[in-house]
Amino acid sequence: LISCRQLTKIYVMGKTKLYALNNIDLDISEGEFVAIMGASGSGKSTLMNLIGALDQPSQGHVTINGNDISELKPKALSKLRNETIGFIFQQFQLLPKKTAQQNVELPLMYRTPRPSNIKDMALACLETVGLKDRAKHRPMELSGGQQQRVAIARALAGQPKIILADEPTGALDSKTSIDIMKLLIELNAQGITIIVITHEKDVAAYAKRIVEISDGKVTSDRLNMEA
Amino acid sequence: LISCRQLTKIYVMGKTKLYALNNIDLDISEGEFVAIMGASGSGKSTLMNLIGALDQPSQGHVTINGNDISELKPKALSKLRNETIGFIFQQFQLLPKKTAQQNVELPLMYRTPRPSNIKDMALACLETVGLKDRAKHRPMELSGGQQQRVAIARALAGQPKIILADEPTGALDSKTSIDIMKLLIELNAQGITIIVITHEKDVAAYAKRIVEISDGKVTSDRLNMEA
Ligand SMILES: Nc1ncnc2c1ncn2[C@@H]1O[C@H](COP(=O)(O)OP(=O)(O)OP(=O)(O)O)[C@@H](O)[C@H]1O
Ligand SMILES: Nc1ncnc2c1ncn2[C@@H]1O[C@H](COP(=O)(O)OP(=O)(O)OP(=O)(O)O)[C@@H](O)[C@H]1O
Ligand SMILES: [Mg+2]
Ligand SMILES: [Mg+2]
């Protein structure tokens, strides 16, 4: 489903070339549940942005569903993302002027054809993450963990085939974290491919496969024996 | 050093009155190391904003160093915060157009008299959190955990008497988290008062006292027996 070949991302700063990702080969099949772990700054979010076609490689290729993302036009790329992938960003990336409900509705507003029951779908997703009574709050009127849960609800609203989650429980207490991970397990059981970036072993424990990244390279890729 | 009495924070939304904090009594003495725990939305960040005089109570009082924050003029409040308190915000609150180094220098720029070696102080703090080679990066050019560490460095730069840390290791891998918690232990040993909001038991384990909050109320306040 997702294939990375010699994937490299270089940031040029003055005279320095910073290799955020350095020659990564990685294949993820449909229905997998993969955890990506690694130190701060090792390249995890960069990898996720490339896998999610939010960014283009400096070298190498990312293929999603047979499409090389560097060969798709912006419109096709946008459509691919909107219909196939649900993102949970490390810093949530909610629209500050919109309510929680409007933020969750957003990906559905761009669908063609537009679903007829967007409001209900959004409220159902907010209820799933325990925030139905916060639907009319704007991000500034929500706690950190509530904002994170709105970001999660937004990722689910479009019923994506692939969920890319960057630290989805980073701001959540243990009980709420467990609820969210169980939700991801349930979605994976329905055939949705899940890729979670996490620092926490407790969170990685829910995945079926664990990939470790260090300084932009894959250093370990194994099945989760404790799953 | 810090005293909360009948501390209440109410948000009015249309016809609803939301009690983010509901009649909190809490005393923290100089030199303490307190962890504040509780579910997402329970009121922890709200409590920290009030303790740090970033916000005013709806009812009740916050006293810092003998000063009731509701009786100080904005200028005096600003000076109190700048000279006494170091903040690490849950969402970092870095200035996007400034470099990491400039962000760390910021609290020092407001000191009167202004220190003569601000650049060196900032670079030293960045080195302490392992980011000396990222000094010229702007927040957008940093990973989530690197941004968090810049926020930590900024809190330390002014050599505050009180550190208020809202999830200071939320975005950090375990090794880096341990480094940061050991740094806080060290600062506490030098007499600095530390208040950490955290969801993680591993992080709370470093504190000498653990206060639990639920629905805006203190539900438990005990010494950490495992410290
Ligand atoms: N400006 C606001 N207007 C309305 N409600 C608010 C506002 N700010 C916060 N709240 C509400 O107050 C409650 C407490 O928020 P707070 O940010 O203190 O929670 P928290 O304990 O820090 O949570 P988390 O662990 O998720 O960060 C939440 O239920 C939130 O929805
Ligand atoms: N726009 C940019 N310009 C320059 N360097 C960048 C840029 N974006 C990221 N980097 C660098 O690339 C490296 C990888 O960043 P990335 O965000 O992928 O790390 P990460 O593994 O997600 O870290 P964390 O766990 O802290 O979130 C970091 O060292 C960062 O400083
Ligand atoms: Mg990251
Ligand atoms: Mg909070």
Side-chain angles (χ1 to χ4, degrees):
Chain A
L1 185 60
I2 296 169
S3 184
C4 305
R5 286 283 174 278
Q6 297 160 348
L7 187 57
T8 299
K9 183 71 184 179
I10 303 170
Y11 291 110
V12 180
M13 310 201 67
K15 299 207 190 103
T16 334
K17 264 187 166 183
L18 204 164
Y19 281 75
L21 293 180
N22 196 347
N23 220 346
I24 293 214
D25 292 330
L26 186 66
D27 289 312
I28 297 176
S29 316
E30 186 161 8
E32 284 207 63
F33 192 148
V34 185
I36 298 182
M37 303 191 77
S40 173
S42 55
K44 306 178 296 296
S45 297
T46 304
L47 177 59
M48 198 168 98
N49 287 339
L50 287 168
I51 285 176
L54 287 169
D55 195 6
Q56 291 287 348
S58 311
Q59 299 167 7
H61 300 273
V62 175
T63 310
I64 302 173
N65 246 342
N67 301 299
D68 186 324
I69 64 169
S70 55
E71 292 171 7
L72 292 180
K73 291 199 170 14
K75 244 189 164 203
L77 213 44
S78 205
K79 188 173 198 301
L80 171 67
R81 280 198 304 264
N82 183 272
E83 297 185 354
T84 323
I85 306 175
F87 290 91
I88 304 167
F89 294 102
Q90 190 168 9
Q91 276 146 25
F92 320 152
Q93 254 95 307
L94 299 177
L95 298 182
K97 299 205 177 109
K98 302 271 178 204
T99 64
Q101 184 175 342
Q102 290 168 335
N103 265 285
V104 175
E105 291 170 352
L106 205 67
L108 300 169
M109 306 286 275
Y110 288 111
R111 287 276 168 93
T112 45
R114 185 188 284 200
S116 55
N117 59 343
I118 287 185
K119 286 206 187 312
D120 298 331
M121 291 169 80
L123 284 171
C125 289
L126 282 171
E127 182 156 18
T128 305
V129 297
L131 287 179
K132 195 154 150 241
D133 62 349
R134 291 283 185 277
K136 303 292 184 252
H137 284 229
R138 271 180 234 94
M140 265 273 322
E141 299 165 330
L142 293 170
S143 77
Q146 290 166 343
Q147 292 178 35
Q148 184 157 50
R149 283 183 277 159
V150 173
I152 293 168
R154 179 179 61 182
L156 305 182
Q159 294 175 330
K161 300 202 183 59
I162 304 169
I163 293 177
L164 300 182
D166 197 344
E167 307 280 353
T169 60
L172 303 176
D173 56 272
S174 355
K175 178 172 176 316
T176 318
S177 295
I178 291 174
D179 294 341
I180 294 299
M181 293 316 295
K182 283 186 177 167
L183 172 59
L184 292 180
I185 289 268
E186 221 173 289
L187 294 168
N188 184 238
Q190 298 167 21
I192 298 172
T193 308
I194 313 238
I195 303 169
V196 176
I197 292 174
T198 182
H199 294 123
E200 301 185 43
K201 295 219 151 60
D202 293 352
V203 171
Y206 287 86
K208 294 181 194 148
R209 173 181 167 201
I210 301 181
V211 174
E212 289 177 27
I213 301 212
S214 173
D215 289 326
K217 290 178 176 288
V218 173
T219 53
S220 155
D221 186 350
R222 54 188 173 76
L223 292 177
N224 180 10
M225 285 306 152
E226 293 133 57
Chain B
L1 185 60
I2 296 169
S3 183
C4 306
R5 286 283 173 277
Q6 297 159 348
L7 187 57
T8 300
K9 183 72 185 178
I10 303 169
Y11 291 110
V12 179
M13 310 201 67
K15 300 208 191 103
T16 334
K17 263 186 166 184
L18 202 165
Y19 281 75
L21 292 180
N22 195 348
N23 220 344
I24 293 214
D25 290 331
L26 185 67
D27 289 311
I28 298 176
S29 315
E30 187 162 6
E32 285 207 63
F33 192 148
V34 185
I36 299 182
M37 303 190 77
S40 172
S42 55
K44 308 178 295 295
S45 298
T46 304
L47 177 59
M48 199 168 97
N49 288 339
L50 287 169
I51 286 176
L54 287 169
D55 195 6
Q56 292 287 350
S58 311
Q59 298 168 8
H61 301 272
V62 176
T63 310
I64 301 173
N65 246 343
N67 301 300
D68 186 324
I69 64 168
S70 55
E71 292 171 8
L72 292 179
K73 292 198 168 19
K75 244 189 163 205
L77 213 44
S78 204
K79 189 173 196 303
L80 170 68
R81 281 199 303 264
N82 183 272
E83 296 185 353
T84 321
I85 306 175
F87 290 91
I88 304 167
F89 294 102
Q90 190 168 8
Q91 276 144 25
F92 320 152
Q93 255 94 307
L94 298 179
L95 298 183
K97 299 206 179 110
K98 303 270 178 207
T99 64
Q101 182 175 342
Q102 289 167 333
N103 266 283
V104 176
E105 292 170 351
L106 206 67
L108 300 168
M109 307 286 274
Y110 289 111
R111 287 275 168 93
T112 44
R114 186 188 283 200
S116 53
N117 59 342
I118 287 184
K119 287 206 186 314
D120 297 332
M121 291 169 81
L123 284 171
C125 289
L126 282 171
E127 183 157 18
T128 305
V129 298
L131 288 179
K132 194 153 150 243
D133 62 349
R134 291 283 185 277
K136 303 292 185 255
H137 285 230
R138 272 180 233 95
M140 267 272 322
E141 298 164 330
L142 293 170
S143 76
Q146 290 167 344
Q147 292 178 34
Q148 185 159 50
R149 284 182 276 158
V150 174
I152 293 168
R154 179 180 61 183
L156 306 181
Q159 293 174 332
K161 301 204 181 57
I162 303 169
I163 293 178
L164 299 182
D166 197 343
E167 307 279 353
T169 60
L172 302 176
D173 57 271
S174 355
K175 178 171 177 317
T176 318
S177 295
I178 292 174
D179 294 341
I180 295 300
M181 293 315 295
K182 284 186 177 169
L183 171 58
L184 292 180
I185 289 267
E186 221 172 289
L187 294 169
N188 184 239
Q190 298 167 22
I192 298 172
T193 308
I194 312 240
I195 302 169
V196 176
I197 292 174
T198 182
H199 295 123
E200 301 184 44
K201 295 216 151 63
D202 293 352
V203 172
Y206 288 86
K208 295 181 194 151
R209 173 182 167 200
I210 299 181
V211 173
E212 291 179 24
I213 300 209
S214 173
D215 289 326
K217 291 178 176 290
V218 173
T219 52
S220 154
D221 185 350
R222 55 187 173 77
L223 292 178
N224 180 8
M225 285 305 151
E226 294 132 56

